[in-house]
Amino acid sequence: MPTTDAVVTYGWLFLAFYLVVIAGLGYWGWKRTGTQDDYATARGGFGFLALGFAYAATVASGSTFMGIPGMAYDMGFKAGYYALIYPIGAYLGIMLVARITKKVGDEAGSQSIPDFLGDRFKSPVIRLMASLVALFLLFYVMSQIVAAGWMFDTILGIDYTVGIWAAAGMLLLYLTLGGSHADIITDAVQGAIMVGITILIFAMFLTGWGFDGGVSAVNANLDAGQQWDTHTDSENPIFANWWVIFLLFVGHIGFTAQPHLGNKFFAIKGTQYMKKFFIVAAVAGMTLPLMFLGGVLGAAQGIEIADPDAIIPVLFIETLPAVFAAFLGVAILSAIISTADGLIISVAQIFANDLYRKTYVPWKGGDPSSPAVNQRALLISRVATVVVTIVAVAAVMTPPQYLSVFMWIGIGGIISAYSGPYFVGSLDESTSKKAAIIGFVAGFAVYAVIHLGPQMGLYDSIAGFSLFPYSENPYASSGIGFIVSCVSTYLGSKFTEPMAVEDRNEVFRGTTELSDGGRVESDD
């Protein structure tokens, strides 16, 4: 890596300042964390502006700042289909479910999306199934750790292996103390910085940084297959045809079903702030993917790197003064951390809340709301935070290729399983528990057959029919899983007994006043 001594020196100075800031925010969060619910959700603790930036930063992740530019470095402008389509799908998903998740989740005291699904359908079985599938988030955690490791390697001159452990130490510095309060406030600050960096990359691209002739010169210096008039490539599973590109959009509608995103809705002060929250999150979230243009610019400049995911920090080092390159590199590192922290909190809640407090304790005849159980769950949350972080680091000692693809191994499984119960169940309160289970199992099964099986090397075709590009394209596979899960849940609700009226009124208290379907929104 072309790291200079000046970049390393400035980088360490900026990192030291950043460590002081996050340690202080961790203490701030610790002072506001007295219960398991505080640690898991920071319920009602934030306004729309902070939470909007935090949500956008969490959606964007290390993939947006490293994985997608890395894809663009290798594939050129066609990677822009991923970068520009995914936020449209993701924020459409928010519009469909955020408000009802907030209302029902707060009423029931849900602490995660698996917990919300269990409360929504009054089903411990669905909660348990959703909790086990949510463990796929570990792939997402691992991808963020990898991205952080490359940033340490590129900007600070630390070997990748040491860098991933350093990233783990940074996360644990504030997460074990402050939980969701620390997670959200750090994400909000990082989200605002991320928007600024994206605007810089966009300006560099528009001016044709390093070229005479602006954007046209950038395009002219790309290989023919990378230029903006090349849209699909039959040999590239991600952009093989227009159908898989459309499925990329469909799959991302279910993106917000992920536990580390859905639980952010519990933290907003009230449903009256939902519209403003959505506007802030959507504007920031649709700006951030323009980072892919940095990968295009790096490819046009002929920058040579061993790992495509490192193109953005290398571009900074090679084209900007050392002090700016170091600052921007550490800022991107903080952005990566902003996603990893929420993910780790969510995985920790699988053990502390979903499996222990809401499953094991009732099974043993205990009271899940007792003070002793809540304090024990808080302890489990903090211990699980440490364990999950260490396991994630140990699993990526050898980094995978293309973070944006690797992390979707887990994301796709969650989307395919959750989408029917979450989306159909949120939009139609008569949806039955049996229908939700049908949709859950059907969606996950299809995703497992067309993507996970081939990825595990078990087969690459069924009955002589090739599974390409779905075997290599988690986005398209997730899109199919989303459709199957939603359709199966909807059809299942037509052939099973609808949820009892009294149960619906209990679950949707404050939103449902009708006795036979439909929804009436109460005043906020």
Side-chain angles (χ1 to χ4, degrees), residues 463-524:
F465 293 96
S466 173
L467 292 173
F468 184 88
Y470 308 106
S471 57
E472 301 294 331
N473 186 333
Y475 319 117
S477 300
S478 300
I480 292 176
F482 175 91
I483 294 171
V484 170
S485 183
C486 289
V487 171
S488 297
T489 303
Y490 176 77
L491 293 177
S493 69
K494 300 304 177 184
F495 294 96
T496 58
E497 190 72 22
M499 190 174 190
V501 172
E502 58 270 24
D503 287 338
R504 277 187 268 165
N505 288 332
E506 180 181 345
V507 169
F508 293 96
R509 184 181 302 138
T511 62
T512 301
E513 300 296 339
L514 301 182
S515 61
D516 58 351
R519 176 176 298 129
V520 174
E521 293 288 346
S522 64
D523 293 334
D524 293 314

Side-chain angles (χ1 to χ4, degrees), residues 39 135 137-139 141-142 145 164-165 168-169 171-173 175-177 340-341 343-352 378-396:
Y39 192 92
L135 291 174
L137 280 178
L138 278 168
F139 284 98
V141 177
M142 285 184 261
I145 296 292
I164 57 178
W165 288 107
L171 286 162
L172 296 178
L173 179 65
L175 277 185
T176 51
L177 294 175
D341 54 14
L343 286 162
I344 291 169
I345 289 291
S346 293
V347 177
Q349 295 324 299
I350 296 171
F351 298 101
L378 178 58
L379 176 61
I380 293 172
S381 291
R382 286 179 164 142
V383 172
T385 296
V386 176
V387 173
V388 168
T389 304
I390 293 174
V391 168
V393 172
V396 293

Side-chain angles (χ1 to χ4, degrees), residues 94-431:
I94 296 175
M95 292 177 64
L96 295 174
V97 297
R99 187 179 181 86
I100 197 66
T101 301
K102 170 66 176 174
K103 282 195 169 185
V104 173
D106 281 356
E107 182 68 33
S110 308
Q111 294 185 359
S112 66
I113 294 303
D115 195 17
F116 167 83
L117 292 174
D119 291 334
R120 156 64 182 91
F121 292 102
K122 300 178 73 68
S123 172
V125 172
I126 291 179
R127 180 184 291 109
L128 179 59
M129 292 169 58
S131 299
L132 295 177
V133 170
L135 291 174
F136 272 74
L137 280 178
L138 278 168
F139 284 98
Y140 206 162
V141 177
M142 285 184 261
S143 72
Q144 305 312 303
I145 296 292
V146 171
W150 282 125
M151 289 304 303
F152 271 102
D153 180 86
T154 306
I155 297 297
L156 299 171
I158 294 179
D159 181 73
Y160 165 84
T161 304
V162 178
I164 57 178
W165 288 107
M170 290 171 59
L171 286 162
L172 296 178
L173 179 65
Y174 65 97
L175 277 185
T176 51
L177 294 175
S180 288
H181 280 282
D183 163 30
I184 292 171
I185 192 62
T186 54
D187 289 0
V189 174
Q190 291 155 354
I193 294 173
M194 290 161 70
V195 170
I197 295 174
T198 304
I199 292 172
L200 172 63
I201 286 290
F202 186 59
M204 291 172 67
F205 171 78
L206 287 181
T207 58
W209 196 264
F211 297 102
D212 292 325
V215 174
S216 297
V218 174
N219 185 60
N221 279 275
L222 294 170
D223 294 338
Q226 295 181 319
Q227 294 182 359
W228 55 38
D229 59 351
T230 302
H231 306 286
T232 61
D233 179 356
S234 61
E235 296 183 359
N236 184 328
I238 309 302
F239 306 106
N241 51 56
W242 291 108
W243 168 241
V244 298
I245 292 174
F246 172 71
L247 285 174
L248 187 156
F249 163 74
V250 173
H252 277 86
I253 296 174
F255 198 76
T256 196
Q258 295 174 87
H260 73 294
L261 295 175
N263 68 358
K264 291 288 192 296
F265 304 143
F266 303 140
I268 198 165
K269 288 182 177 179
T271 53
Q272 67 268 30
Y273 297 108
M274 276 297 181
K275 182 181 291 186
K276 293 179 180 179
F277 157 74
F278 174 77
I279 291 172
V280 172
V283 170
M286 292 185 182
T287 300
L288 295 174
L290 292 174
M291 285 294 297
F292 91 93
L293 294 171
V296 172
L297 184 60
Q301 291 185 354
I303 295 175
E304 296 184 3
I305 50 175
D307 191 291
D309 289 329
I311 183 58
I312 292 298
V314 174
L315 177 68
F316 288 158
I317 290 171
E318 294 205 353
T319 62
L320 295 175
V323 63
F324 290 111
F327 172 76
L328 295 171
V330 172
I332 291 177
L333 175 61
S334 73
I336 294 165
I337 296 297
S338 75
T339 296
D341 54 14
L343 286 162
I344 291 169
I345 289 291
S346 293
V347 177
Q349 295 324 299
I350 296 171
F351 298 101
N353 181 72
D354 305 336
L355 295 180
Y356 169 68
R357 195 174 74 89
K358 287 292 191 73
T359 301
Y360 177 78
V361 171
W363 177 60
K364 297 295 289 184
D367 178 8
S369 61
S370 73
V373 168
N374 275 290
Q375 286 303 306
R376 197 173 296 120
L378 178 58
L379 176 61
I380 293 172
S381 291
R382 286 179 164 142
V383 172
T385 296
V386 176
V387 173
V388 168
T389 304
I390 293 174
V391 168
V393 172
V396 293
M397 297 294 285
T398 300
Q401 184 182 29
Y402 296 140
L403 295 183
S404 55
V405 176
F406 176 74
M407 75 179 190
W408 266 77
I409 295 174
I411 293 173
I414 293 172
I415 290 173
S416 298
Y418 283 24
S419 292
Y422 190 36
F423 285 86
V424 178
S426 293
L427 298 174
D428 180 5
E429 69 265 20
S430 68
T431 305

